[in-house]
Amino acid sequence: MHHQIRVVLKPREEDRLIRGHPWVYDNEIARVQGSPVAGDAVALESARGRFLGTALWSPASKIRARRYSDEALPFASHLRPALDRALKLRAAEFDLDRESCRVVFGEADGLPGLIVDRFVGEAPDAVKGSWLSVQVLAAGMAAHKSAVVEALEAALSPNGIMERSEAPVLAYEGLKPSVGILAGSVPQSLTMLENGLRFEVDLASGQKTGWFLDQARNRAAAARRAGGLRVLDAFCNQGGFGLACAAAGAASVLAVDSSAPALAAVTANAARNGLSDRVSTREANAFDLLRELERSGKRFGLVVLDPPAFAKNKASVEGALRGYKDINLRAMKLLEPGGYLVTCSCSSWVDRDSFMSTIADAAADARRRFRVLEERPAAPDHPALLGYSESRYLKCAILQAL
Ligand code: SAH
C-alpha cells in the first residue's frame, strides 16, 4: 500500500498485539505519520519498526485503532474475504438453512466493531427467509457501513437488514445511536427455530439484537438435565432456557425477569410450543425474589442464573462479583439435593477464574458442596481470539449439588 498512514507505538507496547490482542489504545501511540480520519486503514508498527498489521482508525475513541489483518491490506480488499471466512466457519458448525446464528463477531472475525446476527424464520405474513440484525459499534467500522451492507447483501441475500447500533459504548466512539432498516424489508417480529422450539424474535426492539444467540447450546445443555424437575429460570428474558427445559420434560418452569415485555414474550412462546400448562412467569427483581422463594420454603431441581453483565467496566468488577455471589448463594439454597445450578456471566471484565472462585465462595456460605459438570463458553458462532480475553466473555457453568 502506498502513501500509507503509519501508527508507531511506544516502546514495549507491542507485546499484547503480538500475542493476538487487536486493539491499540491512545496512550500506547508514540506518533502518527499522516492525518488519518475515521475508518482509514493505518499500518501498525512497534517502536523498533516491526510491522504489526493493519487497523481501522477511530479518532475519538480510547481504543484508537482496531487491527483487522496481519497483512498490509486495504480494508476494501479485506471486507469480502473476511466475511466469506466468517460464513465458512458458521457453515461448518450450523445448518444455515434452518438455524439462526451470529455470522460476524467483530474482532474475532477480522471485522472489528461489527456484529451481525442472522435469523432464519418466518415473518407474520408467512414469508419465509432470513433477516440480518447489524450492530456497528466502532467509528472505524461505521465509516464503512455502506460497503458492509453491500457485502452482506451480496454474500447472504437476506430479505432485509435491520441496524441496531444503540449500545452505550457508541458514546466512547463519538458515534450516535443508529437504528433502522438498512436494506430490504424487516417485519416487526419473526418466528425462528432453536433447539426444535419456535420463538418469536422482535428485530426492531428486542434486547440486544433481538435474541441471545450465544446461549443456544447452553440452553440445550441445561435442558438435557431438566426432565421431571421443577425449574427456576432467573433473568429469563424471552424464556430461552426455561422453555427448552419445559420441552425436555421439566415438571414445571417458573420464569423470572424484571421486564414485563420479556415475560409477555415468554408466555407467547410457551403457547406457541404447547407448553403453557407447565410454564408460569413472575415479574420481579430476581435478587429479591430468590430471597423470597427461599423464605417461603420453595425448592427447585434446576436453577438457571443468566443475569445481564453486572460489570460494565474495570471499576465495577468488585461490585459485580458481590452481585454474582449474592444470586448464586441464594440459588444454591433453593436447590434440592442432586439439583443442578446453571450459572452464567456474560461480563468480559469478569474472567473465568474470578467467576468460578466467586461461585465457590457462594457455596461455602450456602454450606453446600457441588460438582462441576461442565464449563461452557458461548456457542461457536461467537468465536474467541486467543490473546483477546474480551472475546471470551460468556461463562456458563453447570454444577450439581451433592
Ligand atoms: N436468559 C436469557 C437472557 C438473559 S438477559 C436468555 O436465555 O435469552 C438478562 C435479563 O435479565 C434481561 O431480560 C433483563 O430484563 C433481566 N434483568 C436485569 N436485571 C434484572 C433483575 N434485577 N431482576 C430480574 N431480571 C433482571
Side-chain angles (χ1 to χ4, degrees), residues 207 212 219 235-237 240-241 257-259 284-287 306-308:
Q207 291 188 36
F212 296 97
R219 294 177 185 125
F235 307 92
C236 65
N237 193 252
F241 275 98
D257 204 283
S258 55
S259 154
N285 180 337
F287 284 82
D306 184 21

Side-chain angles (χ1 to χ4, degrees), residues 194 207-208 211-216 219 233-242 256-260 262 282-288 304-310 344 346:
E194 182 183 282
Q207 291 188 36
K208 230 163 136 192
W211 180 256
F212 296 97
L213 291 165
D214 51 357
Q215 293 278 33
R219 294 177 185 125
D233 181 2
F235 307 92
C236 65
N237 193 252
Q238 298 167 63
F241 275 98
V256 178
D257 204 283
S258 55
S259 154
R282 182 90 179 263
E283 184 182 336
N285 180 337
F287 284 82
D288 300 336
V304 180
L305 295 176
D306 184 21
F310 287 155
C344 312
C346 59

